[in-house]
Amino acid sequence: MPELPDVEGFRRVVADHATGSEVRSVRVLDPGVVHTSATGFTRALEGRVLGEPIRWGKWLRVPTRSRPEYPQLLAHFGMTGAFVWTSGEDADHRHDRVVFEFRDGSLRYRDMRKLTGLWLATEESDVAELLGELGPDAAGVSRRDLRERLTRTSRRLKPALMDQTAVAGLGNLCVDEILWRSRLAPTRSTADLDSAQWARLHARLRSVLRSSSRVGHVPDRPSWLTGHRDERDARCPRCSTALKRSRIGGRSTVWCPQCQPC
C-alpha cells in the first residue's frame, strides 16, 4: 500500500517530468477513478501548465500555474495506485486509468485495484472538504505535536500512529518499522510512555521516513524489520528472536517480543 515514502516518490515523478509543462491532452481510460465527470475533468486540465506538486501524508496535490492555482489535481493512491512517467509512444498498460499527455511523454495514473483515484479541486473549499480532517504531515510533525495528538485519548500505539486524523502519512510498514526501531511494543498504550520514549519514537519516525523517502518506499534491507517480516521463519535482525505476528487495530502487525516488550 502506498505510504508517505511512496507518495513522495510519486511527487518526484511529477516534479521531475511534468512541472512547468503544458498538459496537451487528458485521456480518461477508466471514468470510475475520476471523482467528477470525465468530460469536466478533461476540459479543466487540458491546456494547463502544471505547478510544483505538494504532498500531504498519503495525498498529492498538483496545482496549475494560474491565478489562483486552480483547478488542482488531487490524487490518492489507495492500495495499488502510482504515477508513472513514460516517454515516446509507449503503449497503454492494462492498469492505466488516466493518461496526461505532454510534449515529451506521458504521466500515467496506474492502479490495479481502483480503490481511490483522482479528484478535481476548483477552489480551496474543495481541498478542505477532502483533506480538512488530516493531521499534520508525519515527515514534519514536531515531537511536542506528535505527543499531544497521540495522547488526546488513551489507545494502543499502532492504531494511534496509523490514524490519519492524528498524523498523516504513516501506513502499516512504516509504523511497524518505527516501533521496532523505537523498541516499543505496538500494544503499548500512548498514556504509558515517558519523555525519553516519546523522544526516541519521534527520532525514529523521522529517520525511517527520511531513509524511505529517498528511495520512494519502505526498503526491505537486511538490517530493517521490513526485510524479514514476510519470511517463513521470520526473525529479528537485531537479536534473532522469532518475530510475533497478529492483527492490531485490524492490521497485520509484526514485532519482536524481545526488543519490544509489552
Side-chain angles (χ1 to χ4, degrees):
M1 180 180 194
E3 304 182 27
L4 186 155
D6 305 81
V7 180
E8 177 60 22
F10 305 152
R11 187 199 65 79
R12 291 197 295 265
V13 169
V14 178
D16 292 346
H17 296 287
T19 295
S21 297
E22 179 186 338
V23 181
R24 292 195 164 187
S25 67
V26 179
R27 293 190 290 123
V28 178
L29 305 179
D30 188 338
V33 304
V34 175
H35 296 266
T36 184
S37 75
T39 300
F41 185 85
T42 298
R43 287 176 177 170
L45 293 172
E46 284 184 343
R48 299 282 187 172
V49 175
L50 298 188
E52 189 72 26
I54 305 160
R55 183 192 48 72
W56 186 354
K58 300 179 184 182
W59 284 82
L60 192 64
R61 294 174 59 178
V62 185
T64 52
R65 288 189 174 175
S66 52
R67 293 183 180 276
E69 297 178 328
Y70 290 93
Q72 290 191 10
L73 173 67
L74 278 74
H76 193 282
F77 302 91
M79 293 289 290
T80 56
F83 269 142
V84 178
W85 178 263
T86 61
S87 56
E89 299 297 325
D90 292 33
D92 292 338
H93 187 279
R94 65 193 181 101
H95 295 145
D96 286 344
R97 307 303 176 185
V98 179
V99 181
F100 303 89
E101 303 281 4
F102 298 85
R103 182 180 58 82
D104 55 351
S106 304
L107 179 67
R108 299 169 182 269
Y109 180 76
R110 186 171 291 174
D111 192 358
M112 180 176 68
R113 296 183 63 181
K114 304 188 297 181
L115 296 180
T116 50
L118 304 177
W119 284 257
L120 186 69
T122 58
E123 56 187 27
E124 188 61 30
S125 62
D126 295 333
V127 177
E129 183 177 350
L130 286 170
L131 309 185
E133 294 186 358
L134 290 180
D137 184 84
V141 67
S142 69
R143 184 198 309 176
R144 177 181 294 180
D145 206 12
L146 179 70
R147 182 173 185 173
E148 193 275 330
R149 298 185 72 86
L150 266 58
T151 55
R152 288 177 178 174
T153 59
S154 178
R155 51 182 171 167
R156 293 178 294 179
L157 273 171
K158 175 74 181 273
L161 285 165
M162 293 192 63
D163 180 355
Q164 301 301 297
T165 66
V167 182
L170 301 178
N172 209 37
L173 294 182
C174 278
V175 171
D176 282 0
E177 190 70 40
I178 290 164
L179 291 175
W180 176 74
R181 290 175 177 271
S182 303
R183 296 180 179 266
L184 295 170
T187 53
R188 284 283 298 272
S189 170
T190 57
D192 292 342
L193 272 60
D194 59 30
S195 294
Q197 290 169 326
W198 279 111
R200 188 166 70 242
L201 176 64
H202 181 258
R204 300 303 179 266
L205 181 153
R206 295 292 297 274
S207 64
V208 166
L209 292 181
R210 278 197 304 268
S211 296
S212 301
S213 293
R214 290 191 194 106
V215 294
H217 63 274
V218 183
D220 55 354
R221 295 168 183 156
S223 61
W224 287 49
L225 178 73
T226 310
H228 300 272
R229 62 181 295 138
D230 294 327
E231 295 174 355
R232 178 173 296 180
D233 181 27
R235 294 190 171 271
C236 174
R238 185 163 47 210
C239 72
S240 298
T241 298
L243 296 175
K244 291 193 68 174
R245 185 186 305 272
S246 69
R247 295 191 72 80
I248 298 175
R251 301 303 300 274
S252 176
T253 302
V254 177
W255 77 99
C256 174
Q258 178 67 31
C259 294
Q260 300 166 264
C262 296

